[in-house]
Amino acid sequence: MNPGIIGQAAGLFAVTNIDDILVLALFFAQGAGHRGSARRIVVGQYLGFAAILSVAAAAAFGATFLPESAIPYLGLLPLMLGFKAAWQAWKNHRDSDGGEDEAQAQGSGPSPLEVAAVTFANGGDNIGVYVPVFATAGIGGMSVYAAVFLVLVAVWCFAGRFLATRPVVAMALTRWGHILLPLVLLTIGLLILIEGGAFGL
């Protein structure tokens, strides 16, 4: 294995996925105290990133499952999930007579498909970066990139959980996470739509 390719793969992953750590921290904070939540988040992150890799690898070999013009519309996924999270937060706040703790206890954290949808949508622009790299790297080099990426997904999950469990951060996320999560998801969705020129924006 060429150490140079490993270093390039690690750098490429870090540059294209730095914002995922914040999203993961919010997901881990949302699932705090719910059994199996961390596992569901990790599974969802891997599902979403595996989908990104699959589309990018296929496109590198000339198979286009996702037209380039469709990528901006992936912003609808986090946008819908953001509205859903906002609705749940408002509903829990309205229905709860026992305060914030009771409201949070009603949920069970994000599902793997929700995490996967956000990961895939947020990584839609990554596909455009990965395709030319994979195409020039060949099968051997692409395998190295994919292996490094999949290892770093675990590192990103660990970093997100670590961030979410720091006392100061955990306290802030416990207090404001139900507001921050929908806000971040809505922002991600809008940015993807606007930057991609979806709906003529």
Side-chain angles (χ1 to χ4, degrees):
M1 236 183 232
N2 188 334
I5 294 182
I6 294 174
Q8 289 169 15
L12 183 61
F13 181 90
V15 167
T16 55
N17 293 283
I18 193 69
D19 53 337
D20 277 357
I21 293 180
L22 172 61
V23 178
L24 281 167
L26 287 167
F27 278 140
F28 280 117
Q30 185 189 29
H34 300 292
R35 188 171 181 172
S37 177
R39 185 180 70 250
R40 290 193 297 272
I41 293 167
V42 172
V43 168
Q45 184 72 5
Y46 267 102
L47 285 173
F49 200 81
I52 291 171
L53 279 181
S54 299
V55 172
F61 288 109
T64 306
F65 297 118
L66 192 65
E68 191 174 333
S69 60
I71 290 178
Y73 294 94
L74 291 175
L76 292 172
L77 292 172
L79 201 63
M80 288 186 295
L81 291 172
F83 281 122
K84 179 186 173 189
W87 168 255
Q88 287 177 335
W90 178 80
K91 186 179 174 190
N92 288 343
H93 178 73
R94 185 196 64 182
D95 294 345
S96 176
D97 295 325
E100 192 172 324
D101 291 338
E102 184 180 326
Q104 289 180 347
Q106 293 175 7
S108 60
S111 73
L113 288 179
E114 288 175 335
V115 176
V118 172
T119 301
F120 184 70
N122 196 29
D125 56 339
N126 295 11
I127 295 171
V129 176
Y130 297 162
V131 169
V133 173
F134 287 177
T136 55
I139 294 177
M142 187 167 61
S143 300
V144 175
Y145 272 96
V148 172
F149 285 179
L150 292 174
V151 169
L152 289 176
V153 168
V155 174
W156 249 234
C157 289
F158 175 81
R161 190 171 189 191
F162 179 83
L163 183 62
T165 54
R166 296 308 88 202
V168 175
V169 177
M171 189 179 300
L173 291 178
T174 298
R175 185 175 178 89
W176 301 106
H178 64 291
I179 295 172
L180 286 174
L181 181 63
L183 188 61
V184 168
L185 293 177
L186 291 169
T187 302
I188 288 172
L190 286 172
L191 284 175
I192 293 171
L193 290 170
I194 293 169
E195 289 178 0
F199 303 113
L201 297 173

